[in-house]
Amino acid sequence: MSWLSRLTNVFRSGRLDRDLDAELEFHIKARTEELIAKGMSPEDAAREARRHFGNRLLLRESSREVKLISWLESVFQDTRFGLRMLRKNAGVTAAAVLSLSLAVGACTAAFSLIDALILRPLPVPDPGQLIYCSYPTFGPSLIESTYTGAALFDRFVQSSGQKVELFGISYPGPLQPITLDDSSDEEESVRSQRISGDGFRILGVQPAIGRVLTASDDGRRVAVLNHSFWVRRFGSSPTVLGRWLGFQGRQFQIVGVVRNGFDGLIPGYRMDVWLPNTNASASRGPSSDWDQVWGRLKPGVRSEQARQALQVVFTNYRRDHTDEFIGSGGPPDQLPNYKNAQLILSPGASGSPSMVRMDFERPLWILATVVALVLLIACSNIANLLVARAAAREREMAMRISIGAGRGRLMQQLLIESGLMAGGACLLGLAIAAATAPSIVNLLSPSDFPAYLDLQIGWRVLGFVALIGIATTLLFGLAPALHASGVSPHEALKAGGAKQSSKIGLLRPLLASQVGFSFVVLFLGGLLLISFQKLTSVDLGFSKDRVALFDIRMKNPARNDRAHLAALQLLDSVRRIPTVQAAGMSMTALVGGNYGWVMRPGIRFPGHQLESVKPRYLPVSTGFFETMQMRLVDGRDLAARDMGPESTAVVVNQAFVRHYLSGENPLGVRFEMFDDDPRPAPQEIVGVVQDAKYNNLREATSPTVYGPWGQPDGVMEVRTAGNPMAVAPAIRQAINHSNAGLRVTNVTLQSTRINNSVLRERLMALLAGFFAIVAVVLAAIGLYGVLSYSVVRRTKEIGIRVALGARQLGVVRLVISDVMLVIAVGLGIGIAGGFALGRFVSTLLFEVKASDFWSLALPLASFLLACALAALPPAFRAAHVDPIVALREE
């Protein structure tokens, strides 16, 4: 018989049984008629025919094994039986599936984020051959840099032809406005990126329509669109080719659309528009510089071979251009390290580091660890439940063993029941992950610098979910299956035997592990929550409430000696709005985040050398300190007369005075400032303001200089009497009327800007706090289940004790003492695990340590309270057992 027929018979076993019975009956009838024809009576003939064929059941079973796949049939039968058993206990099944699906969904969401941001290879041919260049820096941050000037890039390209093909890309910035030729000057925010002409060819990216950029496009005004942007904005219309878009005052003609799936080389960001190098003729122009140099290794070339070839060029260039290091503020003592720095070729298969990846790579792995612990808690919780159910089914299992069922078949049946629950939880968890993961992506970055991750449900995610399903089935199903299949028929079939044992046996290690995992999650969640609370409570040094920030840009940038008059006129027009209390301007707004632009010019006091510690520098206008409510400690504020180009007046903060002028009167002190201009700029201190946070909430107070900002563009800070956003239209109108050459590109609140600077900490605190609650709830449910199971099994014993005069407190102690040691052991393991894992989150913490008293006391008290609440109902039932009811079974 063919395997297809045998497979088909597995799913129509009832019909097969009827066919086999009919066939056997036919043979018996034929044999009976044959014996009657030989002279036997009908009764004797029928009896002889049945005796001849033997055991009909055994004969049918042997025939079934030939006509179907027996092991598959047993699986099919156990699946149907398992579904009936799960439906019979629908409430318990639903609770188990829901709790497990939450953990599976969290694990799947964490994996999909890690996969999209860190693990998934780029959608290009042979991504394993891609590399990108970086090198160590020697400033305070000591991080690797990927920025490469055009002159060095040209040398790289000229010397690398035999080993690697190179191209350059710019780093993606925030969303920027473009205009399309059909939008009547209506702007649309997109993310653009420059790429050298050979980039698409080297990557192997093909166009969906039109063509991609080529080497001949460098210096031309052409553009290529992302496929998703093309679909969203142009409805996949092929007429997009040849149309024009306006970007930064220039017009670019659309020549093609890349194929679907390619969003760029930097995970976390999706490029909407690619542009060629628009200043190819000026080799030293700023637009010719590349933020990253990428390449594809030639066949048979190893990364180290290519690195050695490029290292020679890199070292020679640096030795010829040491002035670049000194001019950029590099420490002189690090000059030898600068000249002999090692070039690094990093694998580019999964993209290069981005701000999103650098900020969230470690937090996501920590989150994955937390949700894995939650999954283990859920599995141990369900294991407790299934062990209790197995105890309730001991008589059923004993009966099956008594009539010949093997232990393997019983384990198969119970594992299939567990697998059905795990399968349902995986399907529900996949839906939970699909719904929650995009929401988490929205929390990774601010709205004006949005992150993008392709959270596709592909074979990688499905394979991960399948692996979780198999692992969880074994984790929570194997122990109960072994326990139930190993039951003794003699003991289990004795009346009441299962209800008189006081042992919880296998539940002890399961409960201890559950307590340990739960406390670890609670401990880590507590650390992150305490850290976030302290971080958001730091003293800013200014008031963030009711302050709106207006990003103002000039349509045609041009600096002149009378620009400060236009800036003062602009501020006066805004201040005349009735609800505006104060207004000021600055080059950039305060608290730009870890990657905000910070100016650090060198300074030198008369008679001294250049200071080794460079202060931060922020140009501000009149009214800035009043608007931000930064208290003036000494001297005066910057006035309108200080905004001119010849002004030397500056205001410094208290940290500047402490560091450079300790014990001196700062007012009137002069110093020189060195910036991009090699000529020193004379400065005179006219005032001192209180210390304030400059770039992020974690930073220590740093010396800061506030110089004059006499330009009409930059950031305007406006403090209002009420909701600033309600006044924003009037302020926009005042800006437009004041100067037709200005436009407002963005409006946000100062409080929102500060909140955006702690997105990582907020996300981790939110998720860790949520999973800490889930872990404690699951642990409490598990403890409640174990105690309830213990009370049910010891009902008769408790009844006898009460009948002999035991007090209620003694009964409660009897029930609770059985798990107190288990909880203590679990807490000990959990505390040790919490301290061990606390080291991995230490970089995310702010002014809190795992060894602090409250770091341990708060989660421990919370966990013990949850255990007490979970133990109350079973203890109450045990204390109020009626001896007559308990002994009635006898």
Side-chain angles (χ1 to χ4, degrees):
M1 176 172 281
S2 68
W3 68 268
L4 183 59
S5 299
R6 297 179 66 195
L7 180 63
T8 303
N9 287 335
V10 170
F11 302 100
R12 38 176 278 184
S13 58
R15 179 177 176 182
L16 177 62
D17 289 340
R18 291 192 296 272
D19 291 344
L20 289 175
D21 287 340
E23 182 180 356
L24 183 60
E25 191 64 34
F26 170 78
H27 288 295
I28 291 176
K29 186 176 180 181
R31 180 61 175 170
T32 300
E33 292 176 352
E34 181 182 344
L35 293 176
I36 291 175
K38 290 183 179 181
M40 294 183 66
S41 64
E43 294 79 4
D44 292 340
R47 187 182 307 109
E48 177 60 24
R50 290 187 174 87
R51 187 191 63 78
H52 174 76
F53 281 97
N55 190 325
R56 295 181 60 180
L57 180 60
L58 182 61
L59 184 61
R60 188 182 70 176
E61 290 300 317
S62 61
S63 300
R64 281 169 55 87
E65 292 181 359
V66 176
K67 293 181 177 292
L68 51 70
I69 305 174
S70 57
W71 67 266
L72 185 59
E73 184 204 18
S74 68
V75 171
F76 184 61
Q77 288 176 344
D78 289 343
T79 300
R80 289 188 299 178
F81 180 76
L83 289 172
R84 290 199 301 270
M85 292 298 296
L86 295 178
R87 187 169 60 249
K88 180 181 178 182
N89 301 278
V92 175
T93 300
V97 170
L98 286 174
S99 63
L100 185 60
S101 64
L102 179 63
V104 171
C107 283
T108 306
F111 174 79
S112 62
L113 292 170
I114 292 173
D115 180 53
L117 186 61
I118 303 170
L119 303 177
R120 187 186 303 161
L122 294 170
V124 298
D126 198 8
Q129 291 298 105
L130 294 178
I131 53 93
Y132 64 90
C133 303
S134 63
Y135 51 85
T137 59
F138 303 99
S141 57
L142 296 178
I143 61 175
E144 292 182 4
S145 175
T146 60
Y147 180 85
T148 303
L152 177 57
F153 174 72
D154 292 341
R155 292 194 187 184
F156 276 158
V157 173
Q158 294 170 5
S159 63
S160 63
Q162 302 300 320
K163 304 292 183 181
V164 58
E165 291 187 287
L166 298 178
F167 63 96
I169 62 172
S170 63
Y171 193 82
L175 297 180
Q176 294 179 291
I178 65 168
T179 57
L180 300 167
D181 55 10
D182 65 342
S183 60
S184 302
D185 291 334
E186 181 181 349
E187 294 181 341
E188 184 160 351
S189 296
V190 301
R191 177 170 276 134
S192 64
Q193 185 179 53
R194 290 183 297 108
I195 182 170
S196 63
D198 281 337
F200 285 117
R201 178 190 63 79
I202 296 172
L203 288 171
V205 175
Q206 300 298 320
I209 61 169
R211 65 177 180 85
V212 295
L213 300 177
T214 63
S216 61
D217 289 320
D218 280 349
R220 299 179 58 194
R221 296 187 180 181
V222 293
V224 170
L225 303 183
N226 182 292
H227 190 278
S228 61
F229 177 68
W230 174 52
V231 173
R232 173 173 56 85
R233 180 59 181 81
F234 299 97
S236 303
S237 173
T239 60
V240 69
L241 299 180
R243 296 176 65 173
W244 294 82
L245 60 86
F247 177 69
Q248 295 182 343
R250 299 178 179 179
Q251 293 293 317
F252 294 83
Q253 189 175 33
I254 300 172
V255 297
V257 178
V258 300
R259 64 174 177 81
N260 188 24
F262 180 76
D263 295 313
L265 300 175
I266 304 179
Y269 302 115
R270 178 171 63 185
M271 303 303 114
D272 297 307
V273 179
W274 284 277
L275 306 172
N277 185 13
T278 56
N279 196 18
S281 60
S283 62
R284 297 297 297 172
S287 62
S288 293
D289 294 337
W290 297 109
D291 288 302
Q292 291 187 351
V293 174
W294 277 72
R296 180 182 290 277
L297 298 172
K298 292 291 187 70
V301 177
R302 298 192 313 260
S303 177
E304 179 59 23
Q305 292 175 311
R307 193 201 68 78
Q308 291 176 358
L310 296 176
Q311 179 69 57
V312 176
V313 177
F314 184 68
T315 302
N316 290 338
Y317 177 86
R318 286 203 157 187
R319 291 177 178 176
D320 294 340
H321 295 81
T322 56
D323 56 319
E324 293 183 4
F325 179 72
I326 301 298
S328 62
D333 60 325
Q334 292 291 341
L335 186 58
N337 293 331
Y338 168 80
K339 292 190 293 185
N340 299 307
Q342 184 179 39
L343 184 69
I344 303 169
L345 294 192
S346 301
S350 59
S352 65
S354 62
M355 286 191 292
V356 176
R357 179 184 283 187
M358 289 188 289
D359 265 350
F360 288 96
E361 181 173 7
R362 188 178 185 88
L364 283 177
W365 285 116
I366 293 171
L367 175 63
T369 303
V370 169
V371 296
L373 291 175
V374 172
L375 180 63
L376 292 175
I377 296 166
C379 288
S380 60
N381 208 2
I382 298 176
N384 286 339
L385 172 67
L386 294 183
V387 168
R389 283 185 58 192
R393 297 174 65 180
E394 282 184 353
R395 293 176 65 83
E396 172 195 343
M397 297 300 158
M399 186 66 71
R400 290 174 178 271
I401 293 174
S402 299
I403 60 176
R407 187 175 187 182
R409 180 62 187 275
L410 293 180
M411 288 186 61
Q412 173 182 296
Q413 176 195 323
L414 295 172
L415 285 175
I416 286 177
E417 289 184 25
S418 302
L420 291 173
M421 284 196 292
C426 286
L427 292 176
L428 188 56
L430 194 61
I432 292 173
T436 57
S439 301
I440 297 177
V441 173
N442 294 333
L443 299 174
L444 297 181
S445 59
S447 58
D448 61 338
F449 208 103
Y452 171 79
L453 294 177
D454 184 10
L455 300 177
Q456 57 184 336
I457 301 179
W459 67 268
R460 295 166 68 90
V461 174
L462 293 178
F464 178 78
V465 173
L467 183 63
I468 285 184
I470 296 172
T472 52
T473 299
L474 296 177
L475 281 173
F476 71 76
L478 188 59
L482 289 171
H483 177 75
S485 62
V487 66
S488 170
H490 175 71
E491 294 293 334
L493 293 176
K494 291 195 301 182
K499 296 182 180 179
Q500 297 181 36
S501 173
S502 64
K503 297 179 179 180
I504 59 174
L506 185 60
L507 297 181
R508 285 193 177 92
L510 293 175
L511 180 60
S513 62
Q514 189 176 31
V515 168
F517 293 144
S518 299
F519 188 80
V520 170
V521 175
L522 181 60
F523 182 76
L524 295 179
L527 287 176
L528 293 169
L529 286 171
I530 295 173
S531 173
F532 181 69
Q533 187 274 329
K534 290 189 174 184
L535 184 63
T536 53
S537 300
V538 299
D539 181 14
L540 297 173
F542 61 87
S543 175
K544 65 179 180 179
D545 299 324
R546 297 181 287 108
V547 175
L549 307 176
F550 293 80
D551 289 329
I552 304 174
R553 294 293 176 265
M554 301 182 69
K555 295 181 180 178
N556 296 303
R559 305 298 183 190
N560 58 71
D561 293 341
R562 299 181 60 84
H564 68 284
L565 298 178
L568 293 174
Q569 181 182 358
L570 173 63
L571 287 172
D572 288 339
S573 64
V574 171
R575 289 166 183 162
R576 285 195 293 267
I577 298 175
T579 54
V580 172
Q581 294 180 331
M585 294 192 68
S586 60
M587 178 181 286
T588 60
L590 292 175
V591 190
N594 294 333
Y595 301 98
W597 182 50
V598 178
M599 295 177 62
R600 285 186 176 272
I603 64 171
R604 180 176 63 196
F605 290 92
H608 295 77
Q609 295 182 345
L610 195 67
E611 295 290 337
S612 59
V613 176
K614 297 181 178 182
R616 293 177 173 180
Y617 181 74
L618 178 64
V620 300
S621 74
T622 61
F624 174 81
F625 299 119
E626 178 188 0
T627 304
M628 302 308 297
Q629 294 185 355
M630 295 172 63
R631 181 172 55 88
L632 193 66
V633 177
D634 198 3
R636 66 174 177 86
D637 195 350
L638 294 173
R641 66 179 182 275
D642 299 319
M643 297 298 109
E646 302 301 324
S647 173
T648 61
V650 295
V651 174
V652 298
N653 68 345
Q654 294 170 300
F656 185 98
V657 176
R658 288 194 301 268
H659 185 81
Y660 301 113
L661 306 172
S662 179
E664 298 183 34
N665 181 9
L667 299 183
V669 172
R670 296 176 178 271
F671 62 90
E672 293 178 326
M673 186 170 65
F674 297 84
D675 204 352
D676 295 335
D677 191 337
R679 294 173 301 177
Q683 309 291 326
E684 180 182 355
I685 300 175
V686 300
V688 179
V689 295
Q690 69 181 101
D691 293 333
K693 295 296 181 182
Y694 188 101
N695 210 47
N696 63 74
L697 303 185
R698 290 176 175 267
E699 66 185 3
T701 303
S702 176
T704 305
V705 177
Y706 299 95
W709 178 245
Q711 300 294 335
D713 60 343
V715 178
M716 177 181 286
E717 293 87 2
V718 181
R719 179 175 295 278
T720 63
N723 180 11
M725 287 305 182
V727 197
I731 298 175
R732 277 179 177 268
Q733 188 175 7
I735 294 172
N736 292 333
H737 286 171
S738 173
N739 191 330
L742 300 177
R743 59 185 177 89
V744 177
T745 60
N746 186 46
V747 181
T748 187
L749 297 175
Q750 180 69 63
S751 57
T752 302
R753 186 176 176 88
I754 292 174
N755 290 337
N756 288 341
S757 71
V758 292
L759 284 175
R760 181 184 66 178
E761 291 80 2
R762 185 184 303 277
L763 177 63
M764 289 302 296
L766 177 66
L767 295 178
F770 172 74
F771 288 119
I773 294 173
V774 170
V776 172
V777 170
L778 288 177
I781 293 174
L783 177 60
Y784 169 81
V786 170
L787 286 175
S788 297
Y789 168 75
S790 177
V791 170
V792 170
R793 289 178 65 90
R794 304 178 70 172
T795 299
K796 181 179 176 182
E797 176 191 350
I798 293 172
I800 294 174
R801 289 177 179 272
V802 173
L804 295 176
R807 296 180 180 274
Q808 289 184 337
L809 185 60
V811 172
V812 171
R813 189 185 304 113
L814 173 69
V815 174
I816 299 298
S817 62
D818 204 24
V819 296
M820 285 183 63
L821 180 60
V822 177
I823 294 176
V825 171
L827 283 175
I829 296 173
I831 292 173
F835 278 109
L837 291 178
R839 294 177 300 171
F840 295 98
V841 301
S842 59
T843 56
L844 303 178
L845 303 180
F846 177 74
E847 294 184 353
V848 62
K849 298 179 181 178
S851 57
D852 292 346
F853 172 78
W854 291 112
S855 298
L856 180 61
L858 287 178
L860 186 59
S862 301
F863 192 85
L864 292 177
L865 177 61
C867 290
L869 293 176
L872 280 177
F876 181 83
R877 286 199 303 270
H880 291 80
V881 167
D882 187 343
I884 298 177
V885 176
L887 297 175
R888 187 175 296 165
E889 296 178 1
E890 292 298 310

